[in-house]
Amino acid sequence: MVKKWNCTFFGTLRLTLLLSVLHGAGGELLFVCVYKYSAVMESLGLAVAVLTILYALPVVAWFRTKYWAVLVFLLVLSPLGCLLFLFIGGLLFPAAEDDLGAGILWFITTGINLLSVVLGTLLGGLTNLMLRSRRMLNS
């Protein structure tokens, strides 16, 4: 199914939109984990590394066509996915009304998530570029 979407420009845009929604879900999951279990906050470097690798894997797998430059839109659409899941997460997992720390924690985890999106997109794009140049040299 993903192969069909990758054939056209608009299909690649649909994949980018889907991936940005998944990035928003990952950011909300990170927020809920940090909000419920404060021990996760102590290993934020590990969280950034894991999220970066998890975000780079779909980029490497799905954006191997000539339209892989559409990844720039991913950097624009991912914050919108984070905002979408902020509202959905607020409805499903409400925080205490007088808890100011939850808002600050959301900004921190959203920053970590968006940093991971940027690093994962760059890592995936550079990996695809290296794989493409290797294929060109071998042929």
Side-chain angles (χ1 to χ4, degrees):
M1 182 171 121
V2 173
K3 295 283 186 189
K4 286 186 195 177
W5 284 14
N6 252 356
C7 295
T8 65
F9 179 74
F10 291 110
T12 307
L13 276 178
R14 274 188 259 148
L15 272 176
T16 305
L17 185 63
L18 174 71
L19 199 55
S20 68
V21 169
L22 291 175
H23 289 166
E28 186 63 29
L29 182 67
L30 177 69
F31 169 73
V32 170
C33 286
V34 171
Y35 185 71
K36 299 287 181 184
Y37 309 106
S38 61
V40 177
M41 193 70 169
E42 295 172 4
S43 60
L44 285 179
L46 179 65
V48 169
V50 168
L51 282 175
T52 300
I53 291 171
L54 286 177
Y55 292 161
L57 290 176
V59 170
V60 171
W62 292 349
F63 293 94
R64 289 188 179 181
T65 63
K66 62 182 176 182
Y67 302 114
W68 63 274
V70 173
L71 289 174
V72 174
F73 289 118
L74 185 64
L75 301 176
V76 174
L77 293 174
S78 289
L80 297 176
C82 288
L83 286 176
L84 173 72
F85 275 92
L86 164 71
F87 294 122
I88 292 172
L91 294 174
L92 295 177
F93 309 107
E97 196 166 304
D98 59 345
D99 191 6
L100 181 63
I104 295 170
L105 185 64
W106 182 81
F107 279 114
I108 292 170
T109 56
T110 301
I112 289 169
N113 186 38
L114 293 178
L115 175 70
S116 299
V117 167
V118 169
L119 291 176
T121 304
L122 289 176
L123 181 67
L126 288 175
T127 303
N128 277 341
L129 185 64
M130 288 189 309
L131 290 173
R132 182 177 176 167
S133 64
R134 184 175 179 187
R135 281 191 305 262
M136 289 174 59
L137 286 174
N138 287 340
S139 63

